């Protein structure tokens, strides 16, 4: 149940990013298609982050220390752009135009909104 809840939270975060960030869009008019696209892209985003983020942090730990963690914005933007590319390969109508500012700001919005929503939703440990 927790995985489904996190998937929905990520999908809502992606939806909010499409509203506030120019350059991130869903190119379908149907509401069920939008919901399905957001859920699919949320799953892709979760897989990309789960697989690649630990490897990137391990390999680039020196850059994280050297830049006081600011390289994380670049990494998050690149992973967000990779998610858009994978969605395009799967013919999902989700598009991120470019790295700056769309991908970087989109990753920030998704991260902040996901964090806030995860704080509001009770965890199974509570």
């Amino acid at each position: 149940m927790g995985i489904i809840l996190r998937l929905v939270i990520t999908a809502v975060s992606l939806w909010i990013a499409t509203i506030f960030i120019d350059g991130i869009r869903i190119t379908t008019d149907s509401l069920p298609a939008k919901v399905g696209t957001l859920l699919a892209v949320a799953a892709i985003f979760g897989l990309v982050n789960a697989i690649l983020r630990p490897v990137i942090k391990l390999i680039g730990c020196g850059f994280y220390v050297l830049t006081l963690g600011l390289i994380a914005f670049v990494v998050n933007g690149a992973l967000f752009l990779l998610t858009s590319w994978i969605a395009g390969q799967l013919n999902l109508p989700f598009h991120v135009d470019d790295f700056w500012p769309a991908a970087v700001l989109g990753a920030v919005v998704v991260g902040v909104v996901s964090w806030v929503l995860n704080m509001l939703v009770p965890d199974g440990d509570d």
Side-chain angles (χ1 to χ4, degrees):
M1 188 66 178
I3 292 173
I4 295 171
L5 186 59
R6 292 189 194 281
L7 183 71
V8 170
I9 287 173
T10 304
V12 169
S13 301
L14 288 165
W15 173 65
I16 291 173
T18 62
I19 292 172
F20 289 110
I21 306 296
D22 290 333
I24 301 174
R25 61 191 184 284
I26 297 176
T27 56
T28 184
D29 293 328
S30 166
L31 181 62
K34 283 184 182 180
V35 171
T37 299
L38 287 170
L39 289 172
V41 172
I44 294 167
F45 191 61
L47 286 172
V48 165
N49 279 318
I51 294 168
L52 292 180
R53 184 181 305 271
V55 174
I56 292 170
K57 281 187 176 182
L58 180 67
I59 293 172
C61 65
F63 289 112
Y64 279 90
V65 172
L66 186 65
T67 64
L68 302 175
L70 292 176
I71 193 75
F73 289 110
V74 174
V75 170
N76 290 339
L79 293 176
F80 198 69
L81 202 56
L82 176 63
T83 300
S84 173
W85 179 80
I86 293 170
Q89 296 300 308
L90 297 173
N91 293 323
L92 293 172
F94 179 81
H95 304 285
V96 177
D97 288 341
D98 49 10
F99 179 75
W100 178 258
V104 173
L105 292 179
V108 169
V109 168
V110 168
V112 169
V113 172
S114 293
W115 176 73
V116 169
L117 292 177
N118 279 312
M119 295 297 288
L120 296 175
V121 174
D123 197 7
D125 297 337
D126 293 344

